Amino acid sequence: MGRTSYAIALGSNRRHGRHGAPERVVTAAIAEIAADAVVEAVSPILRTAALGPAGRAFANAVIIVSSDAAPDALLARLKAIERSFGRRAGRRWGPRVIDLDIVLWSGGTWRSPGLAIPHAEFRRRAFVLDPLARVAAGWRDPVTGLTVAQLRARFRRG
């Protein structure tokens, strides 16, 4: 597979013993991702309210990376980073030290067991759309054909 680009959403709402507060956890996770991919853009880290029972507010960001890895291989690397930060399987919407999701891929759509690109919920999540619009406003959703900026505007009007 040739070099392609990915939009990766990052979120944290728990302190980490070595990295500290959620904002620093997100920054440390970006550094880990950069060991295997070229980080092309980093959004500001935004504080967002938690959804569901997660409790504390989240630190959220989106990065754009380029990589030779296929989507499944990149997902495996992201899951390994989550585990190295102490992430354990738990309840949906619960607190987490780090959450890493592939949101978009320059190859369009991807379906495999355990991975769907674009991310099924990204169009309905301000905590993804807001930072994503800061680094990839013109990136088109391969399903709707709308740009990230258009999706964000629609969500805001919603």
Side-chain angles (χ1 to χ4, degrees):
M1 170 169 271
R3 189 158 290 266
T4 58
S5 295
Y6 296 88
I8 300 171
L10 303 92
S12 173
N13 77 336
R14 288 186 48 210
R15 290 185 63 79
H16 185 273
R18 185 179 47 197
H19 303 299
E23 291 82 358
R24 294 189 52 164
V25 173
V26 168
T27 299
I30 292 168
E32 287 292 320
I33 294 166
D36 297 313
V38 176
V39 177
E40 298 176 350
V42 179
S43 78
I45 298 173
L46 306 176
R47 294 291 288 181
T48 58
L51 297 177
R56 297 174 233 160
F58 275 81
N60 291 104
V62 170
I63 61 173
I64 306 299
V65 301
S66 61
S67 173
D68 293 327
D72 284 333
L74 180 61
L75 178 65
R77 175 66 181 133
L78 296 178
K79 294 303 175 193
I81 292 169
E82 288 180 347
R83 286 189 302 278
S84 76
F85 275 63
R87 171 98 187 255
R88 301 292 175 254
R91 66 181 176 182
R92 186 174 166 94
W93 304 106
R96 56 204 60 202
V97 69
I98 192 68
D99 186 32
L100 305 172
D101 291 317
I102 300 171
V103 178
L104 292 169
W105 173 50
S106 63
T109 61
W110 178 275
R111 296 278 185 266
S112 64
L115 179 61
I117 304 173
H119 190 284
E121 298 295 321
F122 93 97
R123 296 171 203 90
R124 293 180 288 281
R125 293 182 171 172
F127 64 86
V128 174
L129 288 172
D130 289 346
L132 181 59
R134 305 263 184 113
V135 293
W139 197 329
R140 289 199 179 274
D141 173 1
V143 174
T144 65
L146 298 171
T147 67
V148 168
Q150 291 168 323
L151 290 169
R152 184 174 176 267
R154 282 186 172 192
F155 178 82
R156 292 278 175 215
R157 283 193 307 265

PDB file of all heavy atoms in Angstrom, residues 1 4-6 104-110 139 142:
ATOM      1  N   MET A   1       0.852  -1.175   0.000  1.00  0.00           N
ATOM      2  CA  MET A   1       0.000   0.000   0.000  1.00  0.00           C
ATOM      3  C   MET A   1       0.894   1.233   0.000  1.00  0.00           C
ATOM      4  O   MET A   1       1.872   1.302   0.739  1.00  0.00           O
ATOM      5  CB  MET A   1      -0.896  -0.049   1.236  1.00  0.00           C
ATOM      6  CG  MET A   1      -1.655   1.244   1.478  1.00  0.00           C
ATOM      7  SD  MET A   1      -2.926   1.077   2.717  1.00  0.00           S
ATOM      8  CE  MET A   1      -4.252   0.586   1.648  1.00  0.00           C
ATOM      9  N   THR A   4      -0.719   6.983   2.497  1.00  0.00           N
ATOM     10  CA  THR A   4      -2.034   7.603   2.540  1.00  0.00           C
ATOM     11  C   THR A   4      -2.134   8.453   3.796  1.00  0.00           C
ATOM     12  O   THR A   4      -1.286   8.390   4.676  1.00  0.00           O
ATOM     13  CB  THR A   4      -3.167   6.552   2.531  1.00  0.00           C
ATOM     14  OG1 THR A   4      -3.007   5.678   3.641  1.00  0.00           O
ATOM     15  CG2 THR A   4      -3.163   5.749   1.247  1.00  0.00           C
ATOM     16  N   SER A   5      -3.191   9.242   3.871  1.00  0.00           N
ATOM     17  CA  SER A   5      -3.402  10.114   5.031  1.00  0.00           C
ATOM     18  C   SER A   5      -4.582   9.624   5.846  1.00  0.00           C
ATOM     19  O   SER A   5      -5.538   9.054   5.311  1.00  0.00           O
ATOM     20  CB  SER A   5      -3.660  11.552   4.576  1.00  0.00           C
ATOM     21  OG  SER A   5      -2.524  12.079   3.945  1.00  0.00           O
ATOM     22  N   TYR A   6      -4.495   9.887   7.133  1.00  0.00           N
ATOM     23  CA  TYR A   6      -5.540   9.516   8.084  1.00  0.00           C
ATOM     24  C   TYR A   6      -5.828  10.698   8.994  1.00  0.00           C
ATOM     25  O   TYR A   6      -4.913  11.427   9.370  1.00  0.00           O
ATOM     26  CB  TYR A   6      -5.082   8.363   8.989  1.00  0.00           C
ATOM     27  CG  TYR A   6      -4.818   7.060   8.286  1.00  0.00           C
ATOM     28  CD1 TYR A   6      -3.562   6.776   7.755  1.00  0.00           C
ATOM     29  CD2 TYR A   6      -5.820   6.100   8.172  1.00  0.00           C
ATOM     30  CE1 TYR A   6      -3.308   5.565   7.128  1.00  0.00           C
ATOM     31  CE2 TYR A   6      -5.574   4.886   7.546  1.00  0.00           C
ATOM     32  CZ  TYR A   6      -4.314   4.618   7.028  1.00  0.00           C
ATOM     33  OH  TYR A   6      -4.074   3.421   6.408  1.00  0.00           O
ATOM     34  N   LEU A 104     -11.181   9.449   9.386  1.00  0.00           N
ATOM     35  CA  LEU A 104     -11.205   9.499   7.917  1.00  0.00           C
ATOM     36  C   LEU A 104      -9.898   8.936   7.370  1.00  0.00           C
ATOM     37  O   LEU A 104      -8.870   8.940   8.055  1.00  0.00           O
ATOM     38  CB  LEU A 104     -11.381  10.938   7.426  1.00  0.00           C
ATOM     39  CG  LEU A 104     -12.723  11.605   7.703  1.00  0.00           C
ATOM     40  CD1 LEU A 104     -12.643  13.102   7.408  1.00  0.00           C
ATOM     41  CD2 LEU A 104     -13.833  10.957   6.882  1.00  0.00           C
ATOM     42  N   TRP A 105      -9.948   8.534   6.114  1.00  0.00           N
ATOM     43  CA  TRP A 105      -8.789   7.965   5.423  1.00  0.00           C
ATOM     44  C   TRP A 105      -8.812   8.496   3.995  1.00  0.00           C
ATOM     45  O   TRP A 105      -9.886   8.550   3.368  1.00  0.00           O
ATOM     46  CB  TRP A 105      -8.914   6.447   5.457  1.00  0.00           C
ATOM     47  CG  TRP A 105      -7.926   5.665   4.666  1.00  0.00           C
ATOM     48  CD1 TRP A 105      -6.575   5.793   4.679  1.00  0.00           C
ATOM     49  CD2 TRP A 105      -8.219   4.584   3.784  1.00  0.00           C
ATOM     50  NE1 TRP A 105      -6.011   4.855   3.855  1.00  0.00           N
ATOM     51  CE2 TRP A 105      -7.003   4.097   3.298  1.00  0.00           C
ATOM     52  CE3 TRP A 105      -9.399   3.975   3.364  1.00  0.00           C
ATOM     53  CZ2 TRP A 105      -6.911   3.038   2.397  1.00  0.00           C
ATOM     54  CZ3 TRP A 105      -9.303   2.923   2.476  1.00  0.00           C
ATOM     55  CH2 TRP A 105      -8.071   2.461   2.002  1.00  0.00           C
ATOM     56  N   SER A 106      -7.649   8.878   3.475  1.00  0.00           N
ATOM     57  CA  SER A 106      -7.613   9.433   2.119  1.00  0.00           C
ATOM     58  C   SER A 106      -7.991   8.405   1.059  1.00  0.00           C
ATOM     59  O   SER A 106      -8.289   8.769  -0.073  1.00  0.00           O
ATOM     60  CB  SER A 106      -6.239  10.043   1.816  1.00  0.00           C
ATOM     61  OG  SER A 106      -5.231   9.047   1.853  1.00  0.00           O
ATOM     62  N   GLY A 107      -8.029   7.139   1.416  1.00  0.00           N
ATOM     63  CA  GLY A 107      -8.453   6.089   0.497  1.00  0.00           C
ATOM     64  C   GLY A 107      -9.957   5.958   0.373  1.00  0.00           C
ATOM     65  O   GLY A 107     -10.449   5.116  -0.380  1.00  0.00           O
ATOM     66  N   GLY A 108     -10.712   6.763   1.117  1.00  0.00           N
ATOM     67  CA  GLY A 108     -12.173   6.724   1.022  1.00  0.00           C
ATOM     68  C   GLY A 108     -12.783   5.912   2.139  1.00  0.00           C
ATOM     69  O   GLY A 108     -12.592   6.214   3.304  1.00  0.00           O
ATOM     70  N   THR A 109     -13.502   4.859   1.769  1.00  0.00           N
ATOM     71  CA  THR A 109     -14.150   4.023   2.779  1.00  0.00           C
ATOM     72  C   THR A 109     -13.349   2.746   2.988  1.00  0.00           C
ATOM     73  O   THR A 109     -12.600   2.311   2.117  1.00  0.00           O
ATOM     74  CB  THR A 109     -15.592   3.655   2.369  1.00  0.00           C
ATOM     75  OG1 THR A 109     -15.539   2.932   1.156  1.00  0.00           O
ATOM     76  CG2 THR A 109     -16.457   4.894   2.205  1.00  0.00           C
ATOM     77  N   TRP A 110     -13.529   2.160   4.165  1.00  0.00           N
ATOM     78  CA  TRP A 110     -12.867   0.901   4.514  1.00  0.00           C
ATOM     79  C   TRP A 110     -13.793   0.134   5.444  1.00  0.00           C
ATOM     80  O   TRP A 110     -14.343   0.712   6.376  1.00  0.00           O
ATOM     81  CB  TRP A 110     -11.545   1.180   5.217  1.00  0.00           C
ATOM     82  CG  TRP A 110     -10.808  -0.051   5.655  1.00  0.00           C
ATOM     83  CD1 TRP A 110     -10.992  -0.745   6.821  1.00  0.00           C
ATOM     84  CD2 TRP A 110      -9.778  -0.726   4.953  1.00  0.00           C
ATOM     85  NE1 TRP A 110     -10.135  -1.806   6.876  1.00  0.00           N
ATOM     86  CE2 TRP A 110      -9.372  -1.825   5.741  1.00  0.00           C
ATOM     87  CE3 TRP A 110      -9.162  -0.519   3.723  1.00  0.00           C
ATOM     88  CZ2 TRP A 110      -8.374  -2.706   5.346  1.00  0.00           C
ATOM     89  CZ3 TRP A 110      -8.161  -1.394   3.333  1.00  0.00           C
ATOM     90  CH2 TRP A 110      -7.774  -2.469   4.138  1.00  0.00           C
ATOM     91  N   TRP A 139     -11.509  18.466   3.834  1.00  0.00           N
ATOM     92  CA  TRP A 139     -11.531  17.021   3.599  1.00  0.00           C
ATOM     93  C   TRP A 139     -12.978  16.585   3.418  1.00  0.00           C
ATOM     94  O   TRP A 139     -13.850  16.928   4.193  1.00  0.00           O
ATOM     95  CB  TRP A 139     -10.916  16.288   4.780  1.00  0.00           C
ATOM     96  CG  TRP A 139     -10.512  14.856   4.493  1.00  0.00           C
ATOM     97  CD1 TRP A 139     -11.093  13.998   3.625  1.00  0.00           C
ATOM     98  CD2 TRP A 139      -9.438  14.145   5.110  1.00  0.00           C
ATOM     99  NE1 TRP A 139     -10.461  12.782   3.658  1.00  0.00           N
ATOM    100  CE2 TRP A 139      -9.444  12.844   4.553  1.00  0.00           C
ATOM    101  CE3 TRP A 139      -8.500  14.464   6.071  1.00  0.00           C
ATOM    102  CZ2 TRP A 139      -8.523  11.872   4.937  1.00  0.00           C
ATOM    103  CZ3 TRP A 139      -7.589  13.499   6.446  1.00  0.00           C
ATOM    104  CH2 TRP A 139      -7.596  12.224   5.885  1.00  0.00           C
ATOM    105  N   PRO A 142     -16.336  10.653   2.424  1.00  0.00           N
ATOM    106  CA  PRO A 142     -16.588   9.847   1.233  1.00  0.00           C
ATOM    107  C   PRO A 142     -18.010   9.299   1.141  1.00  0.00           C
ATOM    108  O   PRO A 142     -18.427   8.854   0.070  1.00  0.00           O
ATOM    109  CB  PRO A 142     -15.570   8.705   1.346  1.00  0.00           C
ATOM    110  CG  PRO A 142     -15.293   8.598   2.802  1.00  0.00           C
ATOM    111  CD  PRO A 142     -15.406  10.001   3.345  1.00  0.00           C
TER     112      PRO A 142
END
